[in-house]
Amino acid sequence: MLRNTVPYNGRRACMRCRWCVGFACEVNARTGTHNTVIPTALATGSCELRTDCMTKEILLDSAGRANGVAYFDASDRLQRQTADLVIVAGGAVESARLLLNTRHRLFPDGLGNRHGWVGRNLQSHSYAGATGLFGFDTFDDLGPGASIAISDYNHGNPGLAGGAMLANEFIRLPYQFMGQVPPWVPRWGTEHKEFVRDAYRRTIVIMGPVQEMPLADARVQLDAKVKDHWGIPVARLSGGRHPHTIEIGRYIATKAEEWLKEAGAVHTWKRAPAKSLSGGQHQAGTCRMGTDPKTSVVDRDCRIHDMDNVYVIDASVHVTNGGFNPVLTILAKAYRASERLLQGWKGTKARS
Ligand code: SF4
């Protein structure tokens, strides 16, 4: 759950409030790069953090080697920063956008995009599950909420490629419950309000992050017309979900419903993914990792195939996300890639 259960590293223990999802942690118990690795790096004295900046492009010399970045500082002034090594870690949408916005005579379609893979296979997780209404109160009001999970359906589901873990959901705020009313209850009006009042404390949601099948047409591209505040082309997302993702989602929802019925729910209703593009939370896939430069963007160490000194280290390199939240995979991969970099890095001419 990435939170301190006891005081650790100068941060307090979780007090089990109900604001874990979507809000800052009031006691700093929840883990993020802002309260773990960034302070550790700053404490070495070798790291400088520049906030409120926006990278425009990676700078390349005439031979196509990266030698820095151009970025807008907090006062919107365009700055150049020379660099030996550039590591892109903007998430699957912004990392792809930055590579596509980095053009050069040798890379006319964007950095790492010689074979057109940058921006493709945008995916995330398709949440599927079920809600159960019980004849008694089930709401303990203790955050973060999820307290039991099973991995029985991540793999080996008959006729399906992949699956999801299943867990009871994070604590629901009343406004979040509005979207979880059953299909036979109106979405507004007196009947809706009465149902919410009556059922809010008597429901349990079981859900799981369904692994999405990569789809080349699910893409991040640059918008031809729209630019952001700094005049940089914005990302344009297109495509949808693979039909097999929807099939897996329906299966996982059935399993969640079975669990709730076994637990004594008097009514249950399912939730399965739709065809529309995913790619919001848990976004991944747009700079896929692989050994063949013709079918991938980065190698097994997260280095862009075409480049000696540009790396992408975030979920963009996931070929699939698997059926779990992806953060531990991202962390493991980042530590692994960093370790390999430290072992093998000889520097470039840019330093001198
Ligand atoms: S439930 Fe989440 S937000 Fe609340 S104290 Fe614990 S870690 Fe922090």
Side-chain angles (χ1 to χ4, degrees), residues 3 13-20 23-27 29-30 143-144:
R3 65 196 165 98
C14 168
M15 62 177 183
R16 306 204 63 189
C17 74
R18 61 171 81 95
W19 315 107
C20 208
F23 302 91
C25 177
E26 293 173 67
V27 293
R30 199 177 62 212

Side-chain angles (χ1 to χ4, degrees), residues 213-286:
M213 292 294 109
L215 209 53
D217 287 338
R219 303 182 70 170
V220 175
Q221 292 171 288
L222 298 180
D223 195 285
K225 294 188 187 138
V226 183
K227 299 203 164 81
D228 67 10
H229 167 79
W230 298 274
I232 308 169
V234 302
R236 184 160 62 90
L237 311 188
S238 58
R241 286 191 174 106
H242 196 292
H244 195 55
T245 300
I246 296 167
E247 207 179 334
I248 303 169
R250 289 194 183 126
Y251 178 82
I252 292 294
T254 304
K255 292 296 167 192
E257 189 174 45
E258 281 173 15
W259 183 354
L260 289 162
K261 282 183 174 160
E262 285 280 324
V266 287
H267 292 293
T268 55
W269 55 99
K270 289 182 281 190
R271 164 184 162 167
K275 288 183 191 163
S276 51
L277 178 74
S278 141
Q281 65 166 0
H282 302 188
Q283 54 183 241
T286 56

